[in-house]
Amino acid sequence: MTSIHWRFFWYRNVSSNQSYTFKPLSDDGTTEEYYTLSPAGHIHTGRYVCRAGRGNSYYTDYSEPQFLWSGDLQSTVSLTVNPNRTQHFTSGTSVSLSCEEKVNSTGWRLMRCTEKGVEDLVESRWVTKSGSTQTRDSGVYWCESGSGENSNAINITVTDGDVILESPVHPVTEGDTVTLVCKHRTNISNIIKADFYKDGVLIRNETTGEKTIPVVSKSDEGFYKCTSNEG
């Protein structure tokens, strides 16, 4: 699409009375194919979409939503997940999310962004999803304090498939040792033959269901997944 004679409109997905609406970031849109939030802050954390328009009557469909997280890397509140992994099975899986204070902080709450929008889950320190954990529980979670801070954000996936990859919730630093574990829903021993992929490329076949990176380096960054036919 050429940008000649087009204007671009930008929206933030906000909740109101248990429903979700698109709130425009500006009334007139922009002639540029981008929108700048400056200075970016915690208030900009949320879900955004855009669309293009020409004249006063023609508009394209909304884009696919994109989640933007803006927070303090040295926040006084930290979100932890137990079990310590980003992927979880449906049914029978107990997942606990906890907002932990590093120093005194007031009025914080647990937040979640899903395909519907951003929502306030509960005004308490922790929330546990047990037994009834469903795919709809997938989303980006973080803690938000009354003083305007955001904790780290964690992308949690709940799947009804048979295989998940167990990997650390929080980013690791160079020099650390990391073990990735391929888990099958019906295999109690967790010892399975598995194929490990990085950015869609097969990197290793393992008979133990585990792949260890002894010394993490910058080159190890990427998207990992595993597959297995064993149950």
Side-chain angles (χ1 to χ4, degrees):
M1 177 192 299
T2 177
S3 60
I4 298 177
H5 306 307
W6 288 88
R7 295 192 70 82
F8 301 92
F9 299 87
W10 314 86
Y11 306 84
R12 181 180 179 183
N13 199 194
V14 297
S15 60
S16 176
N17 297 324
Q18 297 185 339
S19 63
Y20 297 91
T21 59
F22 290 133
K23 180 180 179 181
L25 300 183
S26 65
D27 293 331
D28 299 328
T30 64
T31 56
E32 297 84 9
E33 298 177 1
Y34 59 86
Y35 186 89
T36 302
L37 297 171
S38 179
H42 74 278
I43 61 172
H44 296 120
T45 294
R47 191 166 170 264
Y48 293 82
V49 298
C50 67
R51 65 175 177 171
R54 187 164 55 185
N56 296 321
S57 58
Y58 178 78
Y59 294 92
T60 65
D61 293 334
Y62 290 104
S63 69
E64 289 295 318
Q66 296 293 326
F67 176 75
L68 171 68
W69 175 84
S70 179
D72 186 355
L73 295 179
Q74 303 299 322
S75 173
T76 59
V77 179
S78 176
L79 174 62
T80 61
V81 179
N82 186 28
N84 181 29
R85 60 175 185 252
T86 59
Q87 297 182 15
H88 303 268
F89 291 121
T90 55
S91 303
T93 300
S94 177
V95 181
S96 175
L97 298 98
S98 176
C99 294
E100 298 184 354
E101 298 169 288
K102 300 176 184 177
V103 297
N104 289 335
S105 180
T106 59
W108 48 260
R109 54 192 178 171
L110 183 64
M111 306 293 292
R112 176 175 68 179
C113 180
T114 65
E115 60 182 16
K116 292 182 178 180
V118 175
E119 57 184 328
D120 181 352
L121 284 184
V122 61
E123 293 184 0
S124 64
R125 172 168 298 189
W126 54 268
V127 61
T128 299
K129 295 293 297 183
S130 60
S132 60
T133 306
Q134 301 295 326
T135 55
R136 63 174 176 266
D137 294 316
S138 297
V140 180
Y141 292 76
W142 71 96
C143 302
E144 186 176 284
S145 74
S147 58
E149 292 180 290
N150 286 335
S151 73
N152 53 301
I154 298 175
N155 190 356
I156 293 177
T157 301
V158 181
T159 178
D160 55 7
D162 291 329
V163 177
I164 61 172
L165 178 65
E166 185 176 276
S167 59
V169 166
H170 300 293
V172 296
T173 57
E174 289 188 274
D176 287 350
T177 297
V178 174
T179 298
L180 307 177
V181 181
C182 197
K183 288 183 173 290
H184 196 284
R185 181 187 294 271
T186 61
N187 191 306
I188 300 176
S189 68
N190 291 328
I191 300 176
I192 61 176
K193 293 181 180 179
D195 298 328
F196 288 86
Y197 297 80
K198 177 188 174 187
D199 297 329
V201 178
L202 177 66
I203 56 173
R204 190 87 175 178
N205 305 108
E206 295 287 356
T207 58
T208 62
E210 297 184 359
K211 172 178 170 50
T212 298
I213 304 174
V215 182
V216 172
S217 66
K218 191 75 173 177
S219 63
D220 294 313
E221 285 186 346
F223 294 96
Y224 290 81
K225 72 173 185 178
C226 69
T227 61
S228 177
N229 294 322
E230 294 192 3

